[in-house]
Coordinates of all heavy atoms in Angstrom, one line a residue:
M49 N -25.5 60.9 142.6 CA -26.8 60.6 142.1 C -26.7 61.0 140.6 O -26.2 62.0 140.2 CB -27.9 61.3 142.8 CG -29.2 61.0 142.2 SD -30.6 62.0 142.9 CE -30.7 61.1 144.5
N50 N -27.3 60.1 139.7 CA -27.3 60.4 138.3 C -28.5 61.3 138.0 O -29.4 61.5 138.8 CB -27.5 59.1 137.5 CG -26.2 58.2 137.5 OD1 -25.1 58.7 137.8 ND2 -26.4 57.0 137.3
S51 N -28.4 61.9 136.8 CA -29.4 62.8 136.4 C -30.6 62.0 135.8 O -30.5 60.8 135.5 CB -28.9 63.7 135.3 OG -29.8 64.6 134.9
V52 N -31.7 62.7 135.6 CA -32.9 62.1 135.0 C -32.6 61.6 133.6 O -33.2 60.6 133.2 CB -34.1 63.1 135.0 CG1 -33.9 64.3 134.1 CG2 -35.4 62.4 134.6
G53 N -31.7 62.3 132.9 CA -31.3 61.9 131.6 C -29.9 61.4 131.6 O -29.0 62.1 132.1
E54 N -29.6 60.2 131.1 CA -28.3 59.6 131.1 C -27.3 60.6 130.5 O -26.1 60.7 131.0 CB -28.3 58.3 130.3 CG -27.1 57.4 130.6 CD -27.3 56.1 129.9 OE1 -28.4 55.4 130.1 OE2 -26.4 55.7 129.2
A55 N -27.7 61.3 129.4 CA -26.8 62.2 128.7 C -26.4 63.4 129.6 O -25.5 64.2 129.3 CB -27.4 62.7 127.4
C56 N -27.2 63.7 130.6 CA -27.1 64.8 131.5 C -26.2 64.6 132.7 O -25.9 65.5 133.4 CB -28.4 65.4 131.9 SG -29.6 65.7 130.6
T57 N -25.9 63.4 133.0 CA -25.2 63.0 134.2 C -23.8 63.7 134.3 O -23.5 64.2 135.4 CB -25.0 61.5 134.3 OG1 -26.3 60.9 134.4 CG2 -24.3 61.1 135.6
E58 N -23.1 63.8 133.3 CA -21.8 64.4 133.4 C -21.9 65.9 133.6 O -21.2 66.5 134.3 CB -20.9 64.2 132.1 CG -19.5 64.7 132.2 CD -18.7 64.2 133.3 OE1 -18.9 63.0 133.7 OE2 -17.8 64.9 133.9
L59 N -22.9 66.6 132.9 CA -23.2 68.0 133.2 C -23.6 68.2 134.6 O -23.2 69.2 135.2 CB -24.3 68.5 132.2 CG -23.9 68.7 130.8 CD1 -25.2 69.0 130.0 CD2 -23.0 69.8 130.6
K60 N -24.4 67.3 135.2 CA -24.8 67.4 136.6 C -23.5 67.4 137.5 O -23.4 68.2 138.4 CB -25.7 66.3 137.0 CG -26.2 66.4 138.4 CD -27.1 65.2 138.8 CE -27.6 65.2 140.2 NZ -26.6 65.4 141.2
R61 N -22.6 66.4 137.2 CA -21.4 66.3 138.0 C -20.6 67.6 138.0 O -20.1 68.1 139.0 CB -20.6 65.1 137.6 CG -21.2 63.8 138.1 CD -20.3 62.6 137.8 NE -21.0 61.4 138.1 CZ -21.2 60.4 137.3 NH1 -20.6 60.4 136.1 NH2 -21.9 59.3 137.7
E62 N -20.4 68.1 136.7 CA -19.6 69.3 136.6 C -20.3 70.5 137.4 O -19.6 71.3 138.0 CB -19.5 69.7 135.1 CG -18.7 68.8 134.3 CD -18.6 69.2 132.8 OE1 -18.7 70.4 132.5 OE2 -18.6 68.3 132.0
Y63 N -21.6 70.6 137.2 CA -22.3 71.7 138.0 C -22.2 71.5 139.5 O -21.9 72.4 140.2 CB -23.8 71.8 137.6 CG -24.5 72.8 138.4 CD1 -24.3 74.1 138.3 CD2 -25.3 72.3 139.5 CE1 -24.9 75.0 139.2 CE2 -26.0 73.2 140.3 CZ -25.8 74.5 140.2 OH -26.4 75.4 141.0
D64 N -22.4 70.3 139.9 CA -22.3 70.0 141.4 C -20.9 70.3 141.9 O -20.8 71.0 143.0 CB -22.6 68.5 141.7 CG -24.1 68.2 141.6 OD1 -24.9 69.1 141.5 OD2 -24.4 67.0 141.5
Q65 N -19.9 70.0 141.2 CA -18.5 70.3 141.6 C -18.3 71.8 141.7 O -17.7 72.3 142.6 CB -17.5 69.6 140.7 CG -17.4 68.1 140.9 CD -16.4 67.5 139.8 OE1 -16.0 68.2 138.9 NE2 -16.1 66.2 140.0
C66 N -18.7 72.5 140.6 CA -18.6 73.9 140.6 C -19.3 74.6 141.8 O -18.7 75.4 142.5 CB -19.1 74.5 139.3 SG -18.9 76.3 139.1
F67 N -20.6 74.2 142.0 CA -21.3 74.8 143.0 C -20.7 74.5 144.4 O -20.6 75.4 145.2 CB -22.8 74.3 143.0 CG -23.6 74.8 144.2 CD1 -24.2 76.0 144.1 CD2 -23.7 74.1 145.3 CE1 -24.9 76.5 145.2 CE2 -24.5 74.5 146.4 CZ -25.1 75.8 146.3
N68 N -20.3 73.3 144.6 CA -19.8 72.9 145.9 C -18.5 73.6 146.2 O -18.2 74.1 147.3 CB -19.5 71.4 146.0 CG -20.8 70.6 146.1 OD1 -21.9 71.1 146.6 ND2 -20.8 69.4 145.7
R69 N -17.6 73.8 145.2 CA -16.4 74.6 145.3 C -16.7 76.0 145.6 O -16.1 76.6 146.6 CB -15.6 74.4 144.0 CG -14.2 75.0 144.1 CD -13.3 74.7 142.9 NE -14.0 74.7 141.6 CZ -14.3 73.6 140.9 NH1 -13.9 72.4 141.4 NH2 -14.9 73.6 139.8
W70 N -17.6 76.6 144.9 CA -18.0 78.0 145.1 C -18.6 78.2 146.5 O -18.2 79.1 147.2 CB -19.0 78.5 144.1 CG -19.6 79.8 144.4 CD1 -19.1 81.0 144.2 CD2 -20.9 80.0 145.1 NE1 -20.0 82.0 144.7 CE2 -21.1 81.4 145.2 CE3 -21.9 79.1 145.5 CZ2 -22.3 81.9 145.8 CZ3 -23.0 79.7 146.1 CH2 -23.2 81.0 146.2
F71 N -19.4 77.3 146.9 CA -20.1 77.4 148.2 C -19.1 77.3 149.3 O -19.1 78.1 150.3 CB -21.1 76.3 148.4 CG -22.0 76.4 149.6 CD1 -23.0 77.3 149.6 CD2 -21.7 75.6 150.7 CE1 -23.8 77.4 150.8 CE2 -22.5 75.7 151.8 CZ -23.6 76.6 151.9
A72 N -18.2 76.4 149.3 CA -17.2 76.2 150.3 C -16.1 77.2 150.3 O -15.7 77.7 151.4 CB -16.5 74.8 150.2
E73 N -15.6 77.6 149.2 CA -14.5 78.5 149.1 C -14.9 80.0 149.0 O -14.0 80.9 149.3 CB -13.6 78.2 147.9 CG -13.0 76.8 148.0 CD -12.3 76.4 146.7 OE1 -12.1 77.2 145.8 OE2 -11.9 75.2 146.6
K74 N -16.1 80.3 148.6 CA -16.5 81.7 148.5 C -17.6 82.1 149.4 O -17.5 82.9 150.3 CB -16.8 82.0 147.1 CG -15.7 81.8 146.1 CD -14.7 82.9 146.2 CE -13.6 82.6 145.1 NZ -12.6 83.5 145.1
F75 N -18.8 81.4 149.2 CA -20.0 81.8 149.9 C -19.9 81.7 151.4 O -20.2 82.6 152.1 CB -21.2 80.9 149.4 CG -22.5 81.3 150.1 CD1 -23.2 82.4 149.6 CD2 -23.0 80.6 151.1 CE1 -24.4 82.8 150.1 CE2 -24.2 81.0 151.7 CZ -24.9 82.1 151.2
L76 N -19.3 80.6 151.9 CA -19.2 80.4 153.4 C -18.2 81.4 154.0 O -18.2 81.6 155.2 CB -18.8 79.0 153.7 CG -19.9 78.0 153.5 CD1 -19.4 76.6 153.8 CD2 -21.2 78.3 154.3
K77 N -17.4 82.0 153.1 CA -16.4 83.0 153.6 C -16.9 84.4 153.4 O -16.1 85.4 153.5 CB -15.1 82.8 152.9 CG -14.5 81.4 153.3 CD -13.2 81.2 152.6 CE -12.6 79.8 153.1 NZ -11.4 79.5 152.3
G78 N -18.2 84.6 153.0 CA -18.8 85.9 152.9 C -18.7 86.5 151.5 O -19.1 87.6 151.3
E79 N -18.2 85.8 150.5 CA -18.1 86.3 149.2 C -19.2 85.7 148.3 O -19.1 84.7 147.7 CB -16.7 85.9 148.6 CG -15.5 86.4 149.3 CD -14.2 85.9 148.7 OE1 -14.1 85.8 147.5 OE2 -13.3 85.6 149.5
S80 N -20.3 86.4 148.3 CA -21.5 85.8 147.6 C -21.7 86.5 146.2 O -22.7 86.1 145.6 CB -22.7 86.0 148.5 OG -23.0 87.3 148.8
A81 N -20.9 87.4 145.8 CA -21.1 88.1 144.5 C -20.7 87.2 143.4 O -19.9 86.3 143.5 CB -20.2 89.3 144.5
G82 N -21.4 87.3 142.3 CA -21.1 86.6 141.1 C -21.8 85.3 141.0 O -22.4 84.8 142.0
D83 N -21.8 84.7 139.8 CA -22.4 83.4 139.6 C -21.5 82.6 138.7 O -21.7 82.5 137.5 CB -23.8 83.6 138.9 CG -24.5 82.3 138.8 OD1 -24.1 81.3 139.3 OD2 -25.6 82.3 138.2
P84 N -20.4 82.0 139.3 CA -19.4 81.3 138.5 C -20.0 80.0 137.8 O -19.3 79.5 136.9 CB -18.3 81.0 139.5 CG -19.0 80.8 140.8 CD -20.1 81.9 140.7
C85 N -21.1 79.5 138.3 CA -21.6 78.2 137.8 C -22.8 78.4 136.9 O -23.4 77.4 136.5 CB -21.9 77.3 138.9 SG -20.5 77.1 140.1
G86 N -23.2 79.6 136.6 CA -24.5 79.9 135.9 C -24.6 79.2 134.6 O -25.6 78.7 134.2
Q87 N -23.5 79.3 133.8 CA -23.5 78.7 132.4 C -23.6 77.2 132.5 O -24.3 76.6 131.7 CB -22.3 79.2 131.6 CG -22.3 80.6 131.3 CD -23.5 81.0 130.4 OE1 -23.9 80.3 129.5 NE2 -24.2 82.1 130.7
L88 N -22.9 76.6 133.4 CA -23.0 75.2 133.6 C -24.4 74.8 134.0 O -25.0 73.8 133.4 CB -22.1 74.7 134.7 CG -20.6 74.5 134.3 CD1 -19.8 74.2 135.6 CD2 -20.4 73.4 133.3
F89 N -25.1 75.5 134.9 CA -26.4 75.2 135.3 C -27.4 75.3 134.1 O -28.3 74.5 133.9 CB -26.9 76.2 136.4 CG -28.3 75.8 136.8 CD1 -28.6 74.7 137.5 CD2 -29.4 76.7 136.4 CE1 -29.9 74.4 137.9 CE2 -30.7 76.4 136.7 CZ -31.0 75.2 137.5
K90 N -27.2 76.4 133.2 CA -28.1 76.5 132.1 C -28.0 75.4 131.1 O -29.0 74.9 130.6 CB -27.8 77.9 131.4 CG -28.3 79.1 132.1 CD -28.0 80.3 131.4 CE -28.4 81.5 132.3 NZ -28.0 82.8 131.7
R91 N -26.7 74.9 130.9 CA -26.5 73.8 130.0 C -27.2 72.5 130.6 O -27.8 71.7 129.9 CB -25.0 73.5 129.8 CG -24.4 74.6 128.9 CD -22.9 74.5 128.7 NE -22.5 73.1 128.5 CZ -21.3 72.7 129.0 NH1 -20.5 73.5 129.7 NH2 -20.9 71.4 128.8
Y92 N -27.0 72.3 131.9 CA -27.6 71.2 132.6 C -29.2 71.3 132.5 O -29.9 70.3 132.2 CB -27.1 71.1 134.0 CG -27.8 70.0 134.8 CD1 -27.8 68.7 134.4 CD2 -28.4 70.3 136.0 CE1 -28.4 67.6 135.1 CE2 -29.0 69.3 136.7 CZ -29.0 68.0 136.3 OH -29.6 67.0 137.0
Q93 N -29.7 72.4 132.8 CA -31.1 72.6 132.8 C -31.7 72.3 131.4 O -32.7 71.6 131.3 CB -31.4 74.1 133.1 CG -32.9 74.5 133.1 CD -33.1 75.9 133.4 OE1 -32.3 76.8 133.1 NE2 -34.2 76.2 134.1
I94 N -31.1 72.8 130.3 CA -31.6 72.5 129.0 C -31.6 71.0 128.7 O -32.5 70.4 128.1 CB -30.7 73.2 127.9 CG1 -31.0 74.7 128.0 CG2 -31.0 72.7 126.5 CD1 -30.1 75.6 127.3
C95 N -30.5 70.3 129.1 CA -30.4 68.8 129.0 C -31.5 68.1 129.7 O -32.1 67.2 129.2 CB -29.0 68.4 129.4 SG -28.6 66.7 129.1
V96 N -31.7 68.5 130.9 CA -32.8 67.9 131.7 C -34.2 68.1 131.1 O -35.0 67.2 131.0 CB -32.8 68.4 133.2 CG1 -34.0 68.0 134.0 CG2 -31.5 67.8 133.9
Q97 N -34.4 69.3 130.7 CA -35.7 69.6 130.0 C -35.9 68.7 128.8 O -37.0 68.2 128.6 CB -35.8 71.1 129.7 CG -36.0 71.9 131.0 CD -35.9 73.4 130.7 OE1 -35.4 73.8 129.6 NE2 -36.4 74.2 131.6
K98 N -34.9 68.5 128.0 CA -34.9 67.7 126.8 C -35.2 66.2 127.2 O -36.0 65.6 126.6 CB -33.6 67.8 126.0 CG -33.6 67.0 124.8 CD -32.3 67.2 124.1 CE -32.2 66.3 122.8 NZ -30.9 66.3 122.2
A99 N -34.5 65.8 128.2 CA -34.7 64.4 128.7 C -36.1 64.2 129.2 O -36.7 63.1 128.9 CB -33.7 64.1 129.8
I100 N -36.7 65.1 129.9 CA -38.0 65.0 130.4 C -39.0 64.9 129.2 O -39.9 64.1 129.3 CB -38.4 66.2 131.3 CG1 -37.7 66.1 132.7 CG2 -39.9 66.4 131.5 CD1 -37.7 67.3 133.5
K101 N -38.8 65.7 128.2 CA -39.7 65.6 127.0 C -39.5 64.3 126.3 O -40.5 63.7 125.9 CB -39.4 66.8 126.1 CG -39.9 68.1 126.6 CD -39.6 69.2 125.6 CE -40.0 70.5 126.1 NZ -39.7 71.6 125.2
E102 N -38.3 63.8 126.2 CA -38.0 62.6 125.5 C -38.6 61.4 126.2 O -39.1 60.4 125.6 CB -36.5 62.4 125.3 CG -35.9 63.3 124.2 CD -34.4 63.2 124.1 OE1 -33.8 62.5 125.0 OE2 -33.8 63.8 123.2
K103 N -38.6 61.4 127.5 CA -39.1 60.3 128.3 C -40.6 60.5 128.6 O -41.2 59.6 129.3 CB -38.4 60.2 129.7 CG -36.9 59.8 129.5 CD -36.2 59.7 130.8 CE -34.8 59.2 130.6 NZ -34.3 58.5 131.7
D104 N -41.2 61.6 128.1 CA -42.6 61.8 128.3 C -43.0 61.8 129.8 O -44.0 61.2 130.1 CB -43.4 60.9 127.4 CG -44.8 61.4 127.2 OD1 -45.0 62.6 127.2 OD2 -45.8 60.6 127.0
I105 N -42.2 62.4 130.6 CA -42.5 62.5 132.0 C -43.5 63.6 132.3 O -43.2 64.8 131.9 CB -41.2 62.8 132.8 CG1 -40.2 61.6 132.6 CG2 -41.5 63.0 134.3 CD1 -38.8 61.8 133.2
P106 N -44.6 63.4 132.8 CA -45.6 64.4 133.1 C -45.2 65.4 134.1 O -44.8 65.0 135.2 CB -46.9 63.7 133.5 CG -46.4 62.4 134.1 CD -45.1 62.1 133.3
I107 N -45.2 66.7 133.8 CA -44.7 67.7 134.8 C -45.8 68.8 134.9 O -45.5 69.8 135.6 CB -43.4 68.3 134.4 CG1 -43.4 68.9 133.0 CG2 -42.3 67.3 134.5 CD1 -42.2 69.7 132.6
E108 N -46.9 68.6 134.4 CA -48.0 69.6 134.5 C -48.3 69.9 136.0 O -48.3 69.0 136.8 CB -49.3 69.2 133.9 CG -49.2 69.1 132.4 CD -48.5 67.8 131.9 OE1 -48.5 66.8 132.6 OE2 -47.9 67.9 130.8
G109 N -48.3 71.2 136.3 CA -48.7 71.6 137.7 C -47.4 71.8 138.5 O -47.6 72.2 139.7
L110 N -46.3 71.4 138.1 CA -45.1 71.5 138.9 C -44.3 72.8 138.5 O -44.3 73.2 137.3 CB -44.1 70.4 138.6 CG -44.6 69.0 139.0 CD1 -43.5 68.0 138.6 CD2 -44.8 68.9 140.5
E111 N -43.8 73.5 139.5 CA -43.0 74.7 139.3 C -41.6 74.3 139.6 O -41.3 73.9 140.8 CB -43.5 75.8 140.2 CG -44.8 76.4 139.8 CD -45.1 77.6 140.6 OE1 -44.2 78.4 140.9 OE2 -46.3 77.8 141.0
F112 N -40.7 74.3 138.7 CA -39.3 73.9 138.9 C -38.5 74.7 137.9 O -39.0 75.1 136.9 CB -39.1 72.4 138.8 CG -39.1 71.9 137.4 CD1 -38.0 71.6 136.7 CD2 -40.4 71.7 136.8 CE1 -38.0 71.1 135.4 CE2 -40.4 71.2 135.5 CZ -39.3 70.9 134.8
M113 N -37.2 74.8 138.2 CA -36.3 75.5 137.3 C -36.7 76.9 136.9 O -36.6 77.3 135.8 CB -36.0 74.6 136.1 CG -35.3 73.3 136.4 SD -34.9 72.5 134.9 CE -34.4 70.9 135.5
G114 N -37.3 77.6 137.8 CA -37.7 79.0 137.5 C -39.1 79.3 137.7 O -39.9 78.3 138.0
P115 N -39.5 80.5 137.6 CA -40.9 80.9 137.8 C -41.8 80.4 136.7 O -41.4 80.1 135.6 CB -40.8 82.4 137.8 CG -39.6 82.8 137.0 CD -38.6 81.6 137.2
S116 N -43.1 80.2 137.1 CA -44.1 79.7 136.1 C -44.3 80.8 135.1 O -44.3 82.0 135.4 CB -45.4 79.4 136.8 OG -45.2 78.3 137.6
K117 N -44.5 80.3 133.9 CA -44.9 81.3 132.8 C -46.4 81.6 132.9 O -47.2 80.7 133.3 CB -44.5 80.7 131.5 CG -43.0 80.5 131.3 CD -42.7 79.9 130.0 CE -41.2 79.9 129.9 NZ -40.7 79.0 128.9
G118 N -46.7 82.8 132.6 CA -48.1 83.1 132.5 C -48.7 83.7 133.8 O -49.8 84.1 133.9
K119 N -47.9 83.7 134.9 CA -48.4 84.2 136.1 C -48.2 85.8 136.1 O -47.2 86.3 135.6 CB -47.7 83.7 137.3 CG -48.1 82.3 137.7 CD -47.5 82.0 139.1 CE -48.1 80.7 139.6 NZ -47.6 80.4 141.0
T120 N -49.2 86.4 136.6 CA -49.1 87.9 136.8 C -48.6 88.2 138.2 O -48.7 87.4 139.1 CB -50.4 88.6 136.5 OG1 -51.4 88.1 137.4 CG2 -50.9 88.2 135.1
E121 N -48.2 89.4 138.3 CA -47.7 89.9 139.7 C -48.8 89.9 140.7 O -48.6 89.7 141.9 CB -47.1 91.3 139.6 CG -45.8 91.3 138.8 CD -45.2 92.7 138.8 OE1 -45.6 93.5 139.6 OE2 -44.3 92.9 137.9
N122 N -50.1 90.1 140.3 CA -51.2 90.2 141.2 C -51.8 88.8 141.5 O -52.7 88.8 142.3 CB -52.3 91.1 140.6 CG -51.8 92.5 140.5 OD1 -50.9 92.9 141.3 ND2 -52.3 93.3 139.6
S123 N -51.4 87.7 140.8 CA -52.0 86.4 141.1 C -51.5 85.9 142.4 O -50.4 86.1 142.8 CB -51.8 85.5 140.0 OG -50.4 85.2 139.8
S124 N -52.4 85.1 143.1 CA -52.0 84.6 144.4 C -52.0 83.1 144.4 O -52.5 82.4 143.6 CB -52.9 85.1 145.5 OG -54.2 85.4 145.1

């Protein structure tokens, strides 16, 4: 599946390959320490956020790619 932004598709593939390799070769064998794909994910996340803004895709009210900003610990 391609990414929301055409320029992000290759980053998505790289991240997917890294994650799938880590999941199969490490996580499923009990080695869950570390985050070998974190930098790839951050680059992909930035690309997707840029594509969403460029395409003017409305995302108000959605929580994705991390916790909402502005929420306090006591809010429900």
Side-chain angles (χ1 to χ4, degrees):
M49 179 184 287
N50 289 339
S51 181
V52 66
E54 198 173 307
C56 306
T57 297
E58 186 58 32
L59 285 171
K60 179 185 183 309
R61 286 189 186 125
E62 288 178 37
Y63 172 73
D64 286 346
Q65 287 176 351
C66 181
F67 177 84
N68 290 333
R69 187 171 37 252
W70 168 82
F71 188 78
E73 296 174 7
K74 301 287 184 181
F75 184 79
L76 290 178
K77 295 178 181 176
E79 299 175 39
S80 59
D83 186 5
C85 307
Q87 289 302 317
L88 280 173
F89 180 75
K90 286 179 186 177
R91 288 176 41 216
Y92 175 56
Q93 180 182 31
I94 290 167
C95 188
V96 167
Q97 289 171 343
K98 181 179 176 186
I100 287 170
K101 286 180 184 177
E102 288 174 354
K103 292 181 179 207
D104 200 28
I105 298 172
I107 58 170
E108 290 78 28
L110 296 179
E111 290 185 38
F112 72 105
M113 295 185 188
S116 292
K117 293 180 178 163
K119 281 192 172 183
T120 63
E121 289 182 21
N122 292 336
S123 63
S124 29

